[in-house]
Amino acid sequence: MSYLDKITDIYDHIAQGTALDAFEEYYGEDVVMVLEDGTEVEGKDTNRERENEFFDSVEAFHGIEVTSITSNEEEATTAVESAMDVTFKGGDRVSLEQVAVQHWDGDKIARERFYATQ
């Protein structure tokens, strides 16, 4: 399975509401996720908690649009531009636009960085 196939599968999971299944399958135990503000979150357990907190804060998921997806197979790097339409609990409906860049180590994401506007 190519890196393009893997990252496409992850975003298919997000669209289907099974993002955490993709997280378990594709993220390494020592993954580092770099948030929009530059904060580095280390480790799969810590990032799982952060992901769960995000999804718990969502009242309604209205969909995701992937506007661009690419892969450099030789460098084991993928990137995705997307917009997620969500309503937060007790809040407004918003479109979260982001670019996420993934660096892979074998079949697992070792590092992911998010660039976003809200």
Side-chain angles (χ1 to χ4, degrees):
M1 186 179 237
S2 70
Y3 291 115
L4 182 60
D5 291 337
K6 291 175 181 151
I7 196 62
T8 299
D9 190 44
I10 290 172
Y11 277 80
D12 287 346
H13 275 284
I14 294 169
Q16 297 167 14
T18 58
L20 294 175
D21 292 342
F23 178 82
E24 294 303 329
E25 182 175 352
Y26 290 110
Y27 286 74
E29 290 299 320
D30 297 323
V31 65
V32 175
M33 297 175 90
V34 183
L35 307 181
E36 295 85 352
D37 67 359
T39 301
E40 291 191 5
V41 181
E42 298 182 12
K44 191 169 187 174
D45 291 339
T46 305
N47 279 294
R48 182 185 300 107
E49 289 175 25
R50 190 184 54 74
E51 291 289 321
N52 280 322
E53 287 174 9
F54 171 78
F55 287 111
D56 286 346
S57 73
V58 173
E59 181 176 305
F61 177 73
H62 308 288
I64 186 167
E65 177 186 7
V66 174
T67 52
S68 182
I69 191 165
T70 191
S71 172
N72 180 331
E73 297 295 321
E74 293 78 29
E75 296 294 325
T77 304
T78 55
V80 181
E81 179 183 21
S82 65
M84 190 177 342
D85 185 11
V86 299
T87 300
F88 288 104
K89 292 178 181 172
D92 296 325
R93 184 172 176 168
V94 296
S95 178
L96 304 173
E97 298 177 7
Q98 76 175 11
V99 172
V101 179
Q102 302 82 20
H103 299 276
W104 297 76
D105 182 6
D107 290 336
K108 304 290 184 184
I109 294 173
R111 183 175 183 86
E112 182 170 43
R113 178 150 192 181
F114 299 98
Y115 302 89
T117 61
Q118 295 186 25

